[in-house]
Amino acid sequence: MKHVSILVPRGAAALGCIEGSFILFSKTNDFLTSRGKPPLFNVELVGLTEEPQVYDRLFSVRPDTTIQRLQKTDLIIIPAVNGDMGEVIDMNKGFLAWIARQYKGGAEIASLCVGAFLLAATGLMKGRQCATHWLSANDFRQRFPDVKLVSESIITDDAGIYTSGGAHSFWNLLLYLVEKYTDREIAIYASKFYEIEIDRYTQSPFLIFTGQKDHKDEAVRRAQEIIETSYREKLTVDQLCATLAVGRRSLERRFKQATGNTVSEYMQRVRVEAAKKGLETGRKNVNEVMYEAGYSDTKAFREVFRKVAGMPPLDYRLRYNRSAISA
């Protein structure tokens, strides 16, 4: 049997990640036995100590065992953790060396949502791709610049280390693991049983671009303000540099360092975000929204929109605009 260790972190954690992981792997055993196959997973909750952890002031979770007693496991599930990530990592630092040691001993690791912060703190993610909640992307990049964050992805799979996108997309990673350890038939049955859309690999349609402003470069901050208030105009990078009296090479370097985007990328993200909001509300068609967002080339707009949002603008409008759905 495969031993599955679901961590019970100290501090605030997403109870749904702990419960969901426990239920799905346990229920998968039932799915297997109903087909005449032996159960596959031995699922345990693992804590730093035996002390129960209380989440959301209401729910107590008691570990089945501790990292001191558990010498070998096959799969470690790191649930989402909440709060100041520096403090969260510090209060759970006892897990870090154990996770790294288990991985070197052959265990696989899966982080759910912002559990990626604990995973990255082990040092195992240097140079690897990692997903997390899109809202935490800027904080993650600042804390772990040597990790390749793919904020649009729902699932990453790299040499036995798995990560998931934000919130309930952790279910997609769990289904991915069920399929990996059992087969496609069981994974499909589990997805239907829990009514989870299988094979989702991008969280791009859910992203809300806010821009990275948690920095101290005033010229870059001013550039961001100009872009965000002038996106309807055909503003060029050279015009922006002239307005700020900053050389282009200097601005490009400082902008990328401060925000994680090039100036041109930032302009595109701001315009696409404006277009998304226009498509979500009101009755304007795609072309009208395109012009209001500062685009005049239909083909270019559709290509950029699809790249950023993960779907064509018309599909996006049909998904989120109530008037379009009822039309």
Side-chain angles (χ1 to χ4, degrees):
M1 294 184 78
K2 283 192 174 293
H3 187 275
V4 180
S5 299
I6 304 171
L7 301 191
V8 181
R10 288 175 173 166
L15 183 64
C17 290
I18 298 173
E19 180 193 26
S21 301
F22 186 90
I23 288 174
L24 183 58
F25 286 111
S26 299
K27 197 67 178 176
T28 298
N29 283 338
D30 295 340
F31 298 154
L32 289 167
T33 56
S34 70
R35 287 164 169 74
K37 299 178 181 180
L40 182 60
F41 302 108
N42 176 20
V43 188
E44 286 193 305
L45 305 179
V46 181
L48 291 172
T49 67
E50 295 179 344
E51 180 183 0
Q53 297 299 310
V54 179
Y55 301 124
D56 299 326
R57 299 184 298 172
L58 296 173
F59 305 103
S60 178
V61 179
R62 182 184 297 276
D64 297 308
T65 188
T66 67
I67 60 172
Q68 291 77 22
R69 293 208 303 263
L70 185 59
Q71 297 301 311
K72 181 78 172 73
T73 190
D74 298 302
L75 174 65
I76 299 170
I77 302 291
I78 306 175
V81 286
N82 301 312
D84 179 274
M85 287 302 168
E87 295 177 2
V88 170
I89 291 169
D90 187 60
M91 69 176 67
N92 287 286
K93 61 186 177 183
F95 282 120
L96 305 183
W98 181 81
I99 293 170
R101 186 169 66 251
Q102 290 293 330
Y103 178 70
K104 291 174 183 176
E108 297 189 312
I109 307 169
S111 72
L112 311 183
C113 190
V114 289
F117 283 80
L118 285 183
L119 174 58
T122 66
L124 294 173
M125 296 304 292
K126 290 182 179 178
R128 298 181 188 271
Q129 288 192 338
C130 182
T132 190
H133 198 295
W134 57 264
L135 192 59
S136 300
N138 290 335
D139 187 15
F140 189 92
R141 286 192 181 95
Q142 285 189 319
R143 292 180 186 276
F144 306 107
D146 52 359
V147 178
K148 298 176 182 177
L149 183 65
V150 283
S151 57
E152 73 283 357
S153 296
I154 282 180
I155 296 171
T156 67
D157 176 348
D158 189 343
I161 298 180
Y162 312 91
T163 63
S164 82
H168 291 287
S169 66
F170 77 84
W171 282 100
N172 294 99
L173 176 55
L174 295 181
L175 287 174
Y176 180 86
L177 293 172
V178 166
E179 180 174 353
K180 176 183 172 67
Y181 296 136
T182 60
D183 55 37
R184 180 70 174 177
E185 180 185 0
I186 292 293
I188 291 174
Y189 186 82
S191 76
K192 291 182 177 181
F193 185 89
Y194 288 106
E195 300 190 21
I196 304 165
E197 185 179 347
I198 199 170
D199 293 337
R200 286 199 310 128
Y201 297 106
T202 178
Q203 56 182 341
S204 293
F206 304 99
L207 299 182
I208 300 175
F209 183 70
T210 56
Q212 164 62 294
K213 297 188 176 72
D214 188 18
H215 59 80
K216 298 180 180 180
D217 193 321
E218 290 303 321
V220 171
R221 194 184 302 276
R222 176 62 180 144
Q224 290 174 278
E225 292 172 357
I226 294 172
I227 293 170
E228 290 168 13
T229 56
S230 307
Y231 64 85
R232 291 185 177 89
E233 305 170 12
K234 292 186 177 181
L235 180 69
T236 67
V237 179
D238 287 333
Q239 289 172 332
L240 186 62
C241 291
T243 300
L244 297 169
V246 178
R248 178 162 181 159
R249 183 176 296 180
S250 175
L251 181 63
E252 291 277 17
R253 174 181 54 80
R254 291 163 60 182
F255 200 97
K256 177 73 172 178
Q257 184 177 20
T259 70
N261 298 111
T262 66
V263 178
S264 295
E265 287 171 346
Y266 199 90
M267 289 177 174
Q268 297 286 14
R269 294 299 299 273
V270 169
R271 285 172 176 158
V272 170
E273 193 61 35
K276 286 164 64 178
K277 291 178 181 177
L279 293 169
E280 291 166 5
T281 59
R283 295 181 174 275
K284 292 178 180 176
N285 62 38
V286 171
N287 283 343
E288 289 173 316
V289 170
M290 175 189 74
Y291 292 128
E292 287 193 354
Y295 290 95
S296 56
D297 186 321
T298 303
K299 182 181 179 181
F301 169 67
R302 295 179 189 277
E303 289 178 353
V304 172
F305 190 96
R306 184 165 193 157
K307 180 180 178 181
V308 173
M311 62 177 65
L314 181 58
D315 290 356
Y316 187 91
R317 183 173 184 268
L318 291 173
R319 174 179 288 197
Y320 289 110
N321 191 306
R322 187 181 297 275
S323 63
I325 294 171
S326 59

